[in-house]
Amino acid sequence: MRKREERETIDIRKEGSRGEKNNMDIISMLPAECISHIVSCTTPQDACRSSLVSHLFRIAADSDIVWERFLPQGYKEIISRSLNSLSKKDLYFHLCNHPIIIGNGNMSMALEKQSGKKCYMVGARELTVIWGDTPPYWQWISLPESRFAQVAELNFVWWLEIKGCIETKNLSPRTAYAAYFVYQLSSEHNPRTATTPFRFHVAYEQSTADERSVILDPITHEGIAPPQARYRGDGWIEIEMGEFITEEDNATVLFSLMEISSFPKRGLIVEGIELRPKQ
C-alpha cells in the first residue's frame, strides 16, 4: 500500500513537471514584444524578478517597452539631455538613486525603487521660514551633503515656525504618502532645541490636521520616549511629520512645524521636507 502511494506521488510530480515544461514551451513561442507588454503591466520589482525566469524573459523584462511604462509621465521634460542616451531601465534606476533638481533649484524629484512612485523634496528655500530673511535669526549656507545650493541655519529665535505645501498633481495618484522633516543639529544647538517637543501638522487645505508632538533628537535619553527621528545615511536626520492619501488631482497638502515656548532655539539646519510613499 505504501509503495503504491509513493509511486502515485512520483507520477503526480512527473505530471506537474511536464505541465510546467509545457507552459514554458508555450511562453517561449510568444514574441518578445508580447512578453514585454505583459511584464510592463506588473511592477518594477516584479519585472526584476521575472528576468530570472529565463533568457527570453530577461530580454523582455529589460526592454524599453517595460521600463517606459514605469517612468513617470512628463519625465522627458525634466531630465537633462545627458541622460537621453541611457536605456529606460538604466534611466529608471538613475532616478531612484539620483534625485533631479527642479523648480528653480529649490525642489527635487526621485522615484521610489520598488514601486516607481514619485518622491518630492521641498527645499528650505521653497518653504516659508518665519524670520528666515532676517540675518540675526537665520542664515542661508551651503553644505556639501545637501542636494540644494542653500539650506537654512537657525542662529537664534524664540518663535520657530516653518510652513510649506505641495499640489497632489505632482505626486503619484491613489497613494499613501508621508511627509518627513529633513534636518541637522549643529554643534551650536541649544540642547533644549533637540529635546523639546515640536508640533507637526500635515493635512489637505481647508481640512483639520492631526497634530504630532515629537522631539528632534535622534539619540535616546533616560526618561524620554524612544526617538522617532532617525539618521538617513546621507548626512541628514529625518522625522515623520504626518500622512495623507493622494485622492484628488488638484488638491493642496499643507505641512508645518512649530515650537514657540519661551526659550531660545538655535543650531537647527533645515534641508527641506520630503514627501514619499508610505512603506
Side-chain angles (χ1 to χ4, degrees), residues 166-170 204-205 246-253:
I166 192 167
E167 295 181 346
T168 54
K169 66 181 182 181
N170 294 320
Y204 277 102
E205 194 173 30
T246 52
E247 297 177 339
E248 301 179 41
D249 292 334
N250 58 350
T252 300
V253 177

Side-chain angles (χ1 to χ4, degrees), residues 104-272:
N104 297 321
N106 297 327
M107 297 179 68
S108 72
M109 191 278 288
L111 300 180
E112 198 275 322
K113 188 174 292 185
Q114 293 185 344
S115 66
K117 294 182 182 294
K118 290 187 281 189
C119 308
Y120 270 80
M121 183 180 286
V122 182
R125 273 293 187 191
E126 195 71 15
L127 298 172
T128 299
V129 181
I130 305 302
W131 306 110
D133 293 326
T134 307
Y137 301 133
W138 290 86
Q139 63 179 336
W140 295 89
I141 62 173
S142 297
L143 292 178
E145 61 267 31
S146 177
R147 67 187 66 181
F148 300 114
Q150 289 186 317
V151 295
E153 182 175 24
L154 175 60
N155 291 328
F156 179 91
V157 74
W158 294 81
W159 184 294
L160 194 157
E161 184 177 4
I162 300 173
K163 299 182 289 186
C165 66
I166 192 167
E167 295 181 346
T168 54
K169 66 181 182 181
N170 294 320
L171 303 172
S172 297
R174 299 175 298 281
T175 301
Y177 274 88
Y180 298 87
F181 181 51
V182 182
Y183 62 98
Q184 291 180 359
L185 296 169
S186 77
S187 58
E188 302 298 323
H189 80 270
N190 182 333
R192 288 186 64 186
T193 303
T195 57
T196 296
F198 276 57
R199 289 182 287 163
F200 292 102
H201 297 89
V202 176
Y204 277 102
E205 194 173 30
Q206 298 179 344
S207 65
T208 303
D210 292 331
E211 180 177 298
R212 294 190 180 188
S213 182
V214 294
I215 63 171
L216 301 184
D217 199 337
I219 300 173
T220 302
H221 295 274
E222 186 177 352
I224 298 178
Q228 294 176 272
R230 70 174 190 89
Y231 292 101
R232 290 164 52 97
D234 60 357
W236 297 91
I237 306 168
E238 72 175 19
I239 192 164
E240 185 176 321
M241 302 175 66
E243 305 173 14
F244 62 96
I245 298 176
T246 52
E247 297 177 339
E248 301 179 41
D249 292 334
N250 58 350
T252 300
V253 177
L254 308 177
F255 31 82
S256 65
L257 63 133
M258 179 183 291
E259 210 302 304
I260 57 174
S261 60
S262 57
F263 77 93
K265 274 72 70 175
R266 63 170 61 91
L268 176 66
I269 302 174
V270 180
E271 183 176 43

